[in-house]
Amino acid sequence: MKKFFIIFLLLSQFSFAQDTIKPQILNEIIVTALRGSQNSIDIPANISVISQNQIQNFAVVNSDELLKSIVGINIDRDFGIFSKNSSISMRGLNGSHRTLVLLDGIPLNKTDGGGVNWNRINPDNIEKIEIIKGAASSLYGGNAMSGIINIVSQKPTKKFGGKVKLFYGTYNTFGSNLFLEASNIRDNKGFYCELNGFFRKGNGYIVAPDSTKDSLDAKTYLKEYSSIAKLGYQFNKKSFLEVEYNFSDSKIGDGTKIFENDGGFNQYLTHFLRSTLKTEVFGVKILANGFYQLENYLRQSETIKRQTKKYTLYNTDSKRTDAGIWIAANYFFANNILTFGSDAKYGDVVAEDNYKTSTDILTNKGKMYFYSFFVQDEFLFLEKLRIIAGIRYDLVQFREGKFTIEEPTILTDFMTLYPKNFSDTNWFALSPKFSVNYKIFNDSKIYFSYSKGFRPPILDDMCKNGNISKGFKMANPKLKPENLHNFEIGYLFNIANLTFEQAIYYSLGNDFQYFVGTGDSIYTGGDNLKPILKRQNVGEVEIWGTEIKFLLNFVKNFSFSTNYAFNYSKIKSFTVLQNDKDLTNKFLMEVPKNQVFSSLEWKTKNLNVIFSYNFRDKQFIDDENTQESDIHSTFDFKISTQFQEKFYISLSVQDIFNQRFTDGKGNLSPGRFFISNFIYKFF
Amino acid sequence: MAKKFISTIFLFCMLIFQNCTKESQSNIPPKIEFLKENGFLSQDSAIPMGEKIKIGIISQKNDENITFFNVSLENDSLKTLLDSGMNSEKFVYHCNFIKTNAKSDKLIFFVMDKNRNKSTISLSLTKTEVSKFGKIKNFVSKNIGGQKNSQFGSFFSLNEGKLFTQNEASQQQNLIDIIYYFDIFEATLSSPNESDVASVFNDLTNWVTKNETRYHVTNLTEKQFDEAKNDSLLIVSFDQTLAKRKAKYVSQGQIFAFRNHSGEIGLIKIISVEKLNTGKILIDIKVQE
């Protein structure tokens, strides 16, 4: 940390001694904030955009790793490319279900678990990523508690175009990507299409450190395939219809192999269908999105208890559907922009745990329906001051929740005591917003914002009983949403070659969900009694923090950017129900207090070199605050060059100094990871 | 250019669809049979209560490996005697069974493969009029020390009727059946194969032979315990489905039933407990010879 600040100061000194050049102005068209296009300088929020240029330049292998460069975003991807998934959180909140992630405006957070399968998003297929911090449920509804990440995919632009990418890296990781595009758009009218195929494989590594490694540990291998077909028709400058189908198959070993050839693994098979219609009718801009996602999660778990030598093999087959229609409209009149619309979403799960080393089959099912409407007005006063007020109503229904056990043995027989059919429940959420944005100059602003965010309970907590590490988890169909009220002030200044931005926020959350003991305990097959736990809305949290961004183009071809985030997230009060541990005044787990990201980039016409540094402070890894993870800091590097317009090669190194860290379970990160890319553009 | 483009698209589609094959699943179940060797019972029989019989099972996979083997006993109710996960082409299993007091005992042996194909065989044992009870060994007023007790060892052998310290027990691992320790608030009867015992007696981490004894508390009175002269009370008192690798919260006056790794059933009477890790437990033991 100290070293970092010395480097920072030296670079700052150096910068002012050089000839100045024009700064990069953070003023872009954002499609997320208004559910329609808007200039970032007019939006009363802390906004970041990762451009296609940055996507190409950063040393990343997964799309979520791009977010490392964004102030205050915490990425939990402990095994790098070999992680079964990634969790993205921000603004002092933990868990991927408290941040809304969109792909071309379609929500990716699953109703069953709340998280997002980042592995299915190919970074080569992204045009840009927009990140808007702060609660945004007044326009987007559930999960938009800490902010929104909207991934915008590439659109075909060439008459005929294509490129092929080959890559090879550490742990014998290799793969390729084929991208084909065609477009006959003339005078803003015509068809366009895109095909994209992607695969990657890797041998992986043993995540167990040498001190605990034994013959049961195996490498966490990787096999991923993905294909995208996109077809669109542009009617005119303002209207288009686009349909996209995406299939992906991601299989990653979990690091154990006992008898089965493929050992323990996690596999996600995803079918995703999207249609987007953008048009303008009587001066009203309309954006309508329809989507259907079917994720088939397959898991094979193969374990042997080291003490008792008891062998267990079981498969999970979970089918999770998310589908919906989201419609938003913008109407511009006088000095107002009126945004209104309605969203309908459906989510369900049918999951089966099929034991092979006993006869038990456990099934859980449940459905959720979301209906909402929203309205927001943005009033422009004297061309400088914008006042925004909006509200959204969400009605949510939980239906047909069920948990069944077939042919129970001693392993699951105790579960038959607990409810099998869950009662239907309804709840609603009202999410207001009020904010003021004052544009000081064309590229500077100051703002204040109040907004509310909520996240719905997940189906997995509402209709699934089962063993967890802390005890035995009972489903709770009566769970209510978590709510968060966010107050924020911020500013953005662009002066000469310097950009400086800061946001200060204070958030109060209520009805936060924690596991609470029911007072009972039960034998779940072992020798010890385990407590029976249920998720309950029992916590109130208090968060305050700040985010600072600094960008400097200090000499021709050089740019330096750095950002710092501070979070102080505590449980303000905790309702103790049954002699449970009182978590009042405990810090929120998995939230680092301090985070820093810096990058130094040198860019010429054909060569690009970037160094980046990422610092993540200690964080508690349990609610009781008994265990803390280590400080995590890494240096990454990438060099890339383009020649003869058709060829591109690059070499990336993640974690240059091989600072391997361990996760909460004592497993190791991959350490230094090289990856070399070769791209050939044809047609 | 357009031709090239279309050819590339065609090639692309071929690559995508080439891996779309569906795996077929077999439905032929694994084989399971009784061992028909000398000394093993392989057909329905009539035997007296308390008689010990030996049963052998051999099972062979068909298309997929065998992953589950279960033994259950059906008399007045259905009880699971063994649930065993595995991943094997074949296995051989031997067990001893002592005829219960029930009119008829049906032993059911069940195997399942990875595709959930199942096979079952069973053996019925009816009770003859004449009962045959076994002899028992008595160990009277045995002090077993807590983990920090310097006077009494914490390791007991039912075979030898002898107490061992941790160092002595490590040299004769195969003899140890019962371990006693005091864990914060809990006086605990345990055995070498119990999951938490190695955190109390660290040497156990390196033991090669870890015998398992399973216990459960009974409703028997001290008088009933004292009056037991053969193994009839021991047999009817032990319930496999209730038995755990340790018995916690052990206190004065309780009677515990147990079965050791050799299949011998017994009872333990708790005479007194000194609730300290330097303390001790005073017990009487009755176990099948």
Side-chain angles (χ1 to χ4, degrees), chain A residues 440-489:
Chain A
I440 303 166
F441 309 109
N442 278 342
D443 49 13
S444 298
K445 67 175 179 184
I446 183 161
Y447 68 88
F448 161 80
S449 178
Y450 158 74
S451 57
K452 190 192 151 192
F454 76 92
R455 75 129 180 129
I458 55 174
L459 283 171
D460 193 68
D461 286 332
M462 297 175 88
C463 57
K464 187 177 182 184
N465 298 328
N467 280 313
I468 56 172
S469 54
K470 290 178 177 178
F472 173 68
K473 170 191 146 181
M474 253 179 87
N476 183 4
K478 293 190 168 63
L479 271 175
K480 293 282 185 286
E482 295 179 343
N483 300 301
L484 189 89
H485 300 271
N486 183 55
F487 303 86
E488 177 171 351
I489 54 167

Side-chain angles (χ1 to χ4, degrees), chain A residues 35-37 233-241 276-288 327-333 337-338 340:
Chain A
R35 295 187 66 166
S37 303
Y233 184 77
Q234 184 144 346
F235 301 101
N236 52 50
K237 200 177 176 183
K238 295 172 180 173
S239 306
F240 69 84
L241 175 67
T276 300
L277 173 68
K278 189 178 177 185
T279 188
E280 189 171 323
V281 183
F282 302 118
V284 180
K285 290 181 178 176
I286 299 168
L287 180 67
I327 301 170
N330 302 130
Y331 179 56
F332 296 75
F333 66 99
I337 307 171
L338 184 69
F340 57 96

Side-chain angles (χ1 to χ4, degrees), chain A residues 310-315 353-362 405-413, chain B residues 66-70 80 82-87 110-118:
Chain A
K310 190 174 170 61
Y311 172 72
T312 307
L313 175 69
Y314 76 89
N315 289 96
D353 286 331
N354 186 332
Y355 283 80
K356 305 297 185 185
T357 45
S358 67
T359 52
D360 315 64
I361 298 180
L362 279 60
I405 304 170
E406 291 171 52
E407 299 183 65
T409 64
I410 194 164
L411 204 67
T412 62
D413 194 43
Chain B
I66 299 160
T67 51
F68 180 51
F69 174 54
N70 168 277
T80 297
L82 175 77
D83 265 343
S84 180
M86 62 180 76
N87 201 324
F110 166 92
V111 282
M112 184 178 87
D113 71 15
K114 201 187 158 193
N115 286 344
R116 300 188 72 83
N117 298 309
K118 301 158 185 172

Side-chain angles (χ1 to χ4, degrees), chain A residues 34-280:
Chain A
L34 203 62
R35 295 187 66 166
S37 303
Q38 197 178 23
N39 202 315
S40 68
I41 207 74
D42 296 328
I43 301 168
N46 188 340
I47 294 167
S48 303
V49 177
I50 303 172
S51 66
Q52 197 170 23
N53 195 31
Q54 287 170 306
I55 292 166
Q56 202 171 47
N57 292 344
F58 276 124
V60 299
V61 287
N62 299 290
S63 50
D64 52 291
E65 287 172 330
L66 290 163
L67 298 163
K68 272 200 292 196
S69 62
I70 303 302
V71 59
I73 289 194
N74 188 21
I75 303 173
D76 185 4
R77 180 181 270 281
D78 294 333
F79 308 142
I81 195 172
F82 303 104
S83 302
K84 72 169 182 174
N85 216 331
S86 173
S87 169
I88 304 293
S89 54
M90 55 177 151
R91 280 281 165 103
L93 287 167
N94 52 17
S96 54
H97 45 359
R98 292 178 176 129
T99 302
L100 178 67
V101 180
L102 306 167
L103 176 62
D104 292 318
I106 305 295
L108 296 184
N109 298 70
K110 288 164 275 187
T111 311
D112 179 43
V116 172
N117 180 6
W118 283 93
N119 286 359
R120 81 171 187 82
I121 303 164
N122 177 0
D124 295 324
N125 201 32
I126 298 173
E127 187 175 298
K128 65 170 176 173
I129 304 176
E130 296 177 357
I131 301 102
I132 299 184
K133 304 280 184 57
S137 291
S138 65
L139 276 184
Y140 282 94
N143 302 105
M145 277 180 108
S146 60
I148 305 169
I149 296 167
N150 187 17
I151 303 155
V152 180
S153 67
Q154 282 181 27
K155 253 191 172 180
T157 51
K158 291 181 181 169
K159 189 177 176 186
F160 294 112
K163 61 183 176 185
V164 62
K165 175 180 168 179
L166 303 170
F167 57 92
Y168 184 79
T170 309
Y171 303 124
N172 197 29
T173 306
F174 62 94
S176 74
N177 185 28
L178 178 66
F179 175 81
L180 298 169
E181 61 177 331
S183 166
N184 73 345
I185 296 173
R186 283 194 192 92
D187 301 326
N188 293 312
K189 201 171 181 179
F191 282 99
Y192 57 90
C193 68
E194 173 196 316
L195 284 174
N196 196 329
F198 169 75
F199 93 90
R200 61 184 185 185
K201 286 186 177 181
N203 290 357
Y205 68 101
I206 292 175
V207 296
D210 288 343
S211 55
T212 61
K213 194 158 62 183
D214 66 21
S215 60
L216 307 179
D217 292 309
K219 289 178 178 177
T220 53
Y221 61 86
L222 161 80
K223 287 177 190 169
E224 283 180 348
Y225 306 88
S226 164
S227 56
I228 298 171
K230 196 187 274 184
L231 179 67
Y233 184 77
Q234 184 144 346
F235 301 101
N236 52 50
K237 200 177 176 183
K238 295 172 180 173
S239 306
F240 69 84
L241 175 67
E242 189 174 286
V243 182
E244 178 185 333
Y245 170 71
N246 171 210
F247 171 73
S248 70
D249 176 355
S250 169
K251 184 175 178 181
I252 294 176
D254 72 5
T256 54
K257 187 175 183 300
I258 301 163
F259 295 111
E260 292 297 303
N261 285 335
D262 38 8
F265 64 80
N266 293 280
Q267 186 173 17
Y268 295 85
L269 298 161
T270 311
H271 297 270
F272 176 76
L273 187 65
R274 166 181 72 89
S275 67
T276 300
L277 173 68
K278 189 178 177 185
T279 188
E280 189 171 323

Side-chain angles (χ1 to χ4, degrees), chain A residues 57 74 92 98 154 160 166 261 285 325 378 402 413 436 473 481 525 528 538 559 575 584-585 618 667 679:
Chain A
N57 292 344
N74 188 21
R98 292 178 176 129
Q154 282 181 27
F160 294 112
L166 303 170
N261 285 335
K285 290 181 178 176
I325 297 172
E378 182 172 324
K402 202 172 183 181
D413 194 43
V436 179
K473 170 191 146 181
N528 294 314
V538 287
S559 69
T575 311
T584 304
N585 286 328
K618 286 178 182 178
N667 293 320
I679 296 174

Side-chain angles (χ1 to χ4, degrees), chain A residues 479-506:
Chain A
L479 271 175
K480 293 282 185 286
E482 295 179 343
N483 300 301
L484 189 89
H485 300 271
N486 183 55
F487 303 86
E488 177 171 351
I489 54 167
Y491 57 85
L492 163 71
F493 288 118
N494 276 295
I495 305 165
N497 58 347
L498 176 77
T499 301
F500 193 80
E501 189 173 6
Q502 185 176 16
I504 300 165
Y505 52 89
Y506 176 76

